[in-house]
């Protein structure tokens, strides 16, 4: 065989397709009726990145309606010589999910569980389902046979990675020492070949399908011919993910497996979409362990920790994970993670410089864990060892390990941890040498790196600190990449142990495997994909070495817009400036999770990449860095891109991303900035935006004549004028809280300690009964209550992007409130509406106001919810009321839904604790995400369906199933409205519940207005 003679058709030019070609392809795909065909510039840009460093604009995007459509797309593209790139969660770190191709996003619609065979511990699924989703499904549908079974591979991205992507990358996680990689957990795959044939590849497939037999015969021939070289060149490690897994085929042939029985599914695992498109997979399921236990062992330095790994492996752990001093130091500087550092045992009273997380699994009973821990104590060589077996503490300890990368990203300075040599895998006994020599490499290039991750299998996620905006650092990147790959090889390892080859390691394969294996790879590629359309340029025919530092998302070569010159409305200290905020999203895709927390409601309801936080982050980044104007050199941001506006439109501004995104990407803030810049450029905002933004003024007027205003609201005129959904009722106006407050017969104030209530526009003009309840509660606690006429917090203006107006308004409000803020006698300012409190706590500190920052910070210290005030100062209140034995709350179940801003900024704990003081253990804080209303969002006619869909995800169902006697509590005004519209239940504010508990007989007069 002339190894050099095999060449694949080069089918996509680096310049991509012309507009005419693209339009024609899109037209033909539309005619095929395969699903959503998105070939517009905006969609192409949204799909131009994955979690890697790279950005390559695809030809277009298709979201197939089902797997049959995938077949049609591949057939069509093969016939026209058009590249195809299958995509799942798009969380690849090596750039294998970026390319000049038609991207086929299988994640939204190809996600069914097709069959479960509990006895045989198998399930058959479509490729778009996520690992977590599958495991949740198996748990939930225990009756169908999934009970106690789970799919074991556990990459750190289990919440967002798809089965198809796990197969594509042969994913594996911390427990791979126990469960292996995806290839060890797959029993067969159904694939579409570029010939258009659809075939199952599994053991014995050759007996059923001529296509499978043909493939197996040809693959076996290649492997036979190269057997000696495969034995010589392939690393003998659990974690090996470079090139095609020819060693897995050789291992079968060595066992005497016939060509008819040959299982080719292992070859598809790790093939990065280059051989075939997976449309179904038969997965092996594992039995869930009875219990898990975690030991955390501290060490004086990294070398000592690494030296201990070999002995620890002898005790049978399911995972051994490493943290070094850089990660631990970064965690100490992080408000959330500092607490988790406390879970590391101290060494001579000090925080350790390295730690190992050692996990064990008990198969029969939890008691087995003790024996494991005892064995560990014998070999660990240190007493600095703690063990945990309760799920909560283990979860908190693991949080620190899992947050490692994000923590390093948060370190100040332009140099950030860069993902390009994060995947080396070496024999565990070589780890010490590898780390020592790696440190020399990075030191030689004038930088540093942190060392952490899967010590059990010799895979350390090392990310050198570089600033890729600098050409010198891009050169360093290239040099470090080649030197690190050579080092891994010299240590008996490989440079791709987990994340695959893609753009960042594909060019290094030849040096690792040599020409003979590379030719074998090409032959494999041509057996499966003779026309070369499947994810070209990956694994085989990779571009030259220099390409490792090209096509970077941070493209230092393009005429950069100097973002430091943009006159922003916010300051961006959290991201070291506007440019940092715009580039903060690293693409890891945690915002694509579908359960737990709140981020990102619109993604959860649509399963559309465009409507994920990442989609919005990408949209804003490309617009602000001037990439949206095709073919034009941009010297200024594009504040008026229709695609970006469409993508931002479905952001509910819930702030969940600000907290739940590991790098704290704050899309609500960036959206507000983008809109404000746009309005500045246009010379003003549309009428509807101005009316939504000025809700306080509208409420003030409505509250003057509530009867008339409410009657007019019911006529539908306002709905039509503002484009509101006809299914929505408007919030009712009521006589102002001020009127009641100043006319009432207040209890004597003299000598009492004082608190103030913030007269927000919802409580003041629409829900004054909540204000009355709050006054009753605060007076029951023994305070004199004040209701200063402050002004607007600007929430609605901020959310709609009226930032010019918001800044002026907030400054005026601050001036009006100054005496209260500075009055040491006013102990707290109670803000009853969470979205107003969030404006004060968050945006007021970040907007470029005239008012000095210390004044704003003093307000933040004083401003709090009534629940927080009640709870945090419980021991200090002038009096502490008790709930009478016979109370309206007695024995009643209480479901509490928290406002998104509250969950994102100050949490639900104070609410839960305060309510439990009056309602005891019956209080249940719902594990609910966003309700879908989000201020004015859910009122808009065009958002109504999505708003209701979001409500259905996690809020309406538990409310509907609550008994008629149950109390439903919601902290936010829009949440209360949404629950009434969507689940038909009236909700109480926590202040009302506290009043019901403590004010006893006074309740009816407090609540009934
Ligand atoms: C923070 C972070 C941590 C990570 N940790 C780990 C880890 O611990 N272990 C690990 O293994 N990986 C890890 N990864 C990498 C990545 O998340 C995993 O490999 C994951 O399994 C990829 O799944 P995905 O659905 O996002 O795949 P994608 O990125 O969408 O695709 C992955 C590859 O598979 C191909 N592909 C996708 N679908 C199909 C299909 N239907 N048919 C054929 N080919 C297909 C794609 O073309 C691509 O080449 C991590 C990534 C990040 C960002
Ligand atoms: S928005 Fe946050 S969670 Fe989503 S991909 Fe970007 S960095 Fe990750
Ligand atoms: S603010 Fe909420 S809706 Fe908007 S991107 Fe963030 S998580 Fe998604």
């Amino acid at each position: 065989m002339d190894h050099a003679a095999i060449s694949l058709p080069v089918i996509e030019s680096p310049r991509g397709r012309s507009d005419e070609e693209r339009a024609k392809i899109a037209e033909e795909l539309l005619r095929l009726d395969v699903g959503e065909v998105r070939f517009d510039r905006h969609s192409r840009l949204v799909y131009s990145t994955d979690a890697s460093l790279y950005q390559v604009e695809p030809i277009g995007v298709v979201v197939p309606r089902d797997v049959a459509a995938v077949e049609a797309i591949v057939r069509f593209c093969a016939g026209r010589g058009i590249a195809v790139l299958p995509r799942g969660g798009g969380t690849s770190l090596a750039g294998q999910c970026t390319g000049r191709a038609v991207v086929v996003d299988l994640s939204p619609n190809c996600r069914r569980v097709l069959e479960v065979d509990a006895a045989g511990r198998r399930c058959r699924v479509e490729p778009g389902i996520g690992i977590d989703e599958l495991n949740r499904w198996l748990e939930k549908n225990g009756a169908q046979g999934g009970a106690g079974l789970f799919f074991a591979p556990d990459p750190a991205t289990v919440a967002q990675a798809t089965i198809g992507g796990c197969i594509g990358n042969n994913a594996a996680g911390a427990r791979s020492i126990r469960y292996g990689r995806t290839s060890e957990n797959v029993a067969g795959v159904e694939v579409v070949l570029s010939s258009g044939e659809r075939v199952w590849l599994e053991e014995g497939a050759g007996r059923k399908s001529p296509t499978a037999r043909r493939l197996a015969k040809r693959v076996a021939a290649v492997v036979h011919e190269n057997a000696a070289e495969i034995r010589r060149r392939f690393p003998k490690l659990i974690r090996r993910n470079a090139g095609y897994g020819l060693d897995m085929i050789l291992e079968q042939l060595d066992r005497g497996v016939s060509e008819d029985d040959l299982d080719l599914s292992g070859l598809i695992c790790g093939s990065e979409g280059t051989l075939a498109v997976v449309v179904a997979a038969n997965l092996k399921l594992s039995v869930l362990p009875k219990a898990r236990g975690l030991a955390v062992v501290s060490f004086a330095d990294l070398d000592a920790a690494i030296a201990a790994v070999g002995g620890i492996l002898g005790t049978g752990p399911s995972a051994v994970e490493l943290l070094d001093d850089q990660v631990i130091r970064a965690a100490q500087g992080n408000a959330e993670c500092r607490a988790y550092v406390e879970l590391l045992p101290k060494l001579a009273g000090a925080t350790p410089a390295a730690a190992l997380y050692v996990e064990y699994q008990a198969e029969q009973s939890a008691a087995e864990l003790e024996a494991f821990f005892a064995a560990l104590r014998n070999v660990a060589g240190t007493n600095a060892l703690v063990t945990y077996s309760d799920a909560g503490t283990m979860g908190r300890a693991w949080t620190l390990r899992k947050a490692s990368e994000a923590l390093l990203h948060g370190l100040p300075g332009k140099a950030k941890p860069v993902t390009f040599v994060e995947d080396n895998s070496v024999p565990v006994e070589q780890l010490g040498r590898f780390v020592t020599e790696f440190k020399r490499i990075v030191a030689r290039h004038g930088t540093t790196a942190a060392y952490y991750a899967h010590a059990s299998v010799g895979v350390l996620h090392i990310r050198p600190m570089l600033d890729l905006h600098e050409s010198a650092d891009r050169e360093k990147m290239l040099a470090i990449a080649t030197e690190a790959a050579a080092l891994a090889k010299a240590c008996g390892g490989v440079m791709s142990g987990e994340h695959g080859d893609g753009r960042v390691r594909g060019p290094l394969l030849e040096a690792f495997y040599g020409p003979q294996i590379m030719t074998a790879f090409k032959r494999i590629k041509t057996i499966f994909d003779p026309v070369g359309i499947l994810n070209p340029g990956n694994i085989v025919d990779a571009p030259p070495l220099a390409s490792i530092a090209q096509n970077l998302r941070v493209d230092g070569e393009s005429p950069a817009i100097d973002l430091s010159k943009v006159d922003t409305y916010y300051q961006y200290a959290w991201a070291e400036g506007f440019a940092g905020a715009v580039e903060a999203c690293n693409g890891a895709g945690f915002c694509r999770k579908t359960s737990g927390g709140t981020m990102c409601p619109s993604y959860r309801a649509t399963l559309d990449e465009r409507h994920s936080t990442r989609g919005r982050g990408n949209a804003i980044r490309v617009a602000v860095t001037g990439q949206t104007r095709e073919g034009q050199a941009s010297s200024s941001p594009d504040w008026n891109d229709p695609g970006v506006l469409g993508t931002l439109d479905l952001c509910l501004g819930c702030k969940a991303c600000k907290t739940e995104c590991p790098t704290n990407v704050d899309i609500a803030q960036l959206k507000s900035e983008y809109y404000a810049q746009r309005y500045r450029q246009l010379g003003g905002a549309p009428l509807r935006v101005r009316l939504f933004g000025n809700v306080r003024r509208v409420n003030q007027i409505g509250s003057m004549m509530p009867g008339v205003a409410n009657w007019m609201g019911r006529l539908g005129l306002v709905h039509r004028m503002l484009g509101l959904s006809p299914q929505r009722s408007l919030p009712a106006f009521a006589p102002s809280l001020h009127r009641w407050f100043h006319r009432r017969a207040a209890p004597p104030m003299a000598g009492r300690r004082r608190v103030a209530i913030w007269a927000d526009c919802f409580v003041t003009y629409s829900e004054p009964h909540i204000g009355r309840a709050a006054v009753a509660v605060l007076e029951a606690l023994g305070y004199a209550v004040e209701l200063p006429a402050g002004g607007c917090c600007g929430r609605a203006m901020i959310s709609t992007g009226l930032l010019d107006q918001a800044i002026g308004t907030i400054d005026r409000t601050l001036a009006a409130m100054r005496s209260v803020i500075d009055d040491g006698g006013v102990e707290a300012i109670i803000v009853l509406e969470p979205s107003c409190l969030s404006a004060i706590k968050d945006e007021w500190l970040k907007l470029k106001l005239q008012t000095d920052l210390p004044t704003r910070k003093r307000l933040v210290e004083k401003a709090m919810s009534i629940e927080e005030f009640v709870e945090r100062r419980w021991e200090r209140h002038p009096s502490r009321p008790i709930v009478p034995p016979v109370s309206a709350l007695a024995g009643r179940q209480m479901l509490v839904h928290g406002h998104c801003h509250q969950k994102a900024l100050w949490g639900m704990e104070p609410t839960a604790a305060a309510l439990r003081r009056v309602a005891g253990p019956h209080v249940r804080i719902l594990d609910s995400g966003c309700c879908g209303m989000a201020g004015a969002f859910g009122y808009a006619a065009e958002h109504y369906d999505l708003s209701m869909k979001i409500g259905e995800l996690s809020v309406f169902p538990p409310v509907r199933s609550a008994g008629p006697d149950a109390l439903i509590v919601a902290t936010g005004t829009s949440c209360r409205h949404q629950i009434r519209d969507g689940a038909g239940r009236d909700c109480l504010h926590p202040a009302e519940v506290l009043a019901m508990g403590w004010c006893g007989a006074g309740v009816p007069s407090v609540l009934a207005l």
Side-chain angles (χ1 to χ4, degrees), residues 599-602 612-613 616 650-657 667-668:
M599 172 175 75
C600 166
S602 48
S612 66
T613 310
R616 295 190 182 107
L650 295 196
C651 167
L652 289 95
C654 69
K655 288 183 186 281
C657 44
I667 293 294

Side-chain angles (χ1 to χ4, degrees), residues 236-531:
K236 315 289 177 286
L237 300 164
I238 298 179
R239 292 302 199 86
R240 51 195 198 282
N241 214 0
Y244 297 130
L246 299 184
D247 54 343
M248 287 187 272
I249 304 297
L250 181 59
E251 184 272 327
Q252 293 182 62
L253 295 174
D254 282 349
R255 278 194 282 119
V257 174
S258 72
E259 286 169 4
D260 279 348
D261 285 324
L262 205 58
D263 178 1
L264 296 183
S265 63
L267 202 53
I268 301 300
C269 292
S271 64
E272 301 180 4
T274 61
L275 297 183
V277 181
V278 176
V279 289
N282 194 359
L283 304 177
K284 297 177 190 168
L285 301 177
S286 301
V287 178
L288 276 166
K290 281 280 175 304
R292 289 194 172 117
L294 179 68
V296 183
V297 195
S298 291
F299 295 90
D301 55 43
L302 184 61
D303 294 343
I306 289 174
V309 175
I312 290 174
L313 287 176
T315 63
S318 47
V320 184
E321 298 281 298
L322 172 74
L323 286 187
D324 79 347
D325 58 334
Q326 292 221 41
V327 175
I328 295 170
R329 265 203 310 275
Q332 282 176 310
N334 176 285
E336 189 197 343
C337 288
R338 198 173 302 137
Y340 308 134
V341 176
E342 293 305 313
L343 296 169
L344 304 178
K346 297 259 188 293
L347 271 179
T351 303
L356 289 175
Y357 280 47
V358 189
E359 189 202 66
Y360 295 97
Q361 294 191 163
E363 304 305 336
Q364 306 300 330
S365 93
E368 292 162 38
L369 293 175
E370 276 317 313
F372 282 125
F373 290 149
L376 176 66
R377 284 191 191 95
N378 279 337
V379 300
T382 170
N383 289 329
L385 185 158
V386 285
T387 61
Y388 303 111
S389 46
D390 72 289
T393 321
M394 284 196 291
R396 284 198 297 284
W398 274 119
T399 307
L400 178 55
R401 156 63 192 94
K402 289 179 184 166
S404 306
E405 195 208 338
L407 285 168
L408 295 168
H409 263 282
L411 292 174
K414 287 203 178 305
K416 296 289 172 201
V418 180
T419 304
F420 66 103
V421 283
E422 84 298 353
D423 206 30
N424 296 285
S425 170
V426 297
V428 171
E429 54 282 8
Q430 289 288 328
L431 260 183
R433 172 189 164 198
F434 178 75
V435 167
T436 306
E437 294 191 21
F438 204 106
K439 282 183 177 170
R440 285 198 194 116
I441 294 177
V442 286
R444 217 170 29 247
H445 291 286
T447 185
T448 56
Y451 299 80
Y452 63 94
H454 317 309
S456 58
V457 284
V459 176
L460 295 188
H461 292 333
I462 310 169
R463 290 175 164 90
M465 304 294 282
L466 295 171
D467 176 7
L468 293 185
H469 297 92
E470 300 294 332
S471 60
D473 277 17
R474 293 197 296 278
E475 276 163 30
K476 284 181 191 172
M477 174 186 166
L478 200 53
I480 294 173
T482 36
E483 290 172 39
L487 171 61
K489 189 174 182 201
C491 291
V494 61
M495 69 282 171
S496 308
E498 175 172 295
H499 300 151
D501 302 318
R503 293 174 176 272
V504 80
R505 284 177 284 271
L508 299 164
L509 281 172
E510 175 105 39
F512 184 81
Y513 280 121
Q516 186 178 334
I517 294 290
M518 290 311 289
T519 305
F521 285 166
K522 273 193 183 183
R523 289 176 64 195
I524 295 291
K525 168 82 174 170
T526 50
I527 290 169
F528 283 87
D529 177 24
V531 283

Side-chain angles (χ1 to χ4, degrees), residues 88-89 106-114 123-138 158 160-166 283:
L106 290 103
S107 65
N109 301 327
C110 306
R111 50 193 295 114
R112 288 180 303 162
V113 177
L114 301 169
C123 75
R124 200 156 52 81
V125 298
E126 291 183 340
I129 191 168
I131 306 178
D132 261 0
E133 285 171 323
L134 170 62
N135 286 334
R136 278 201 307 273
W137 189 96
L138 290 168
V158 278
Q160 68 267 38
T162 63
I163 295 293
C166 288
L283 304 177

Side-chain angles (χ1 to χ4, degrees), residues 67-68 84 135 203 238 244 347 401 466 519 528 593 644 683 710 768 830 837 869 947 1006 1009:
V67 295
V84 171
N135 286 334
E203 193 184 320
I238 298 179
Y244 297 130
L347 271 179
R401 156 63 192 94
L466 295 171
T519 305
F528 283 87
K593 65 182 178 174
V644 177
N710 290 336
I830 307 299
L837 185 54
F869 180 71
S947 166
V1006 168
L1009 287 168

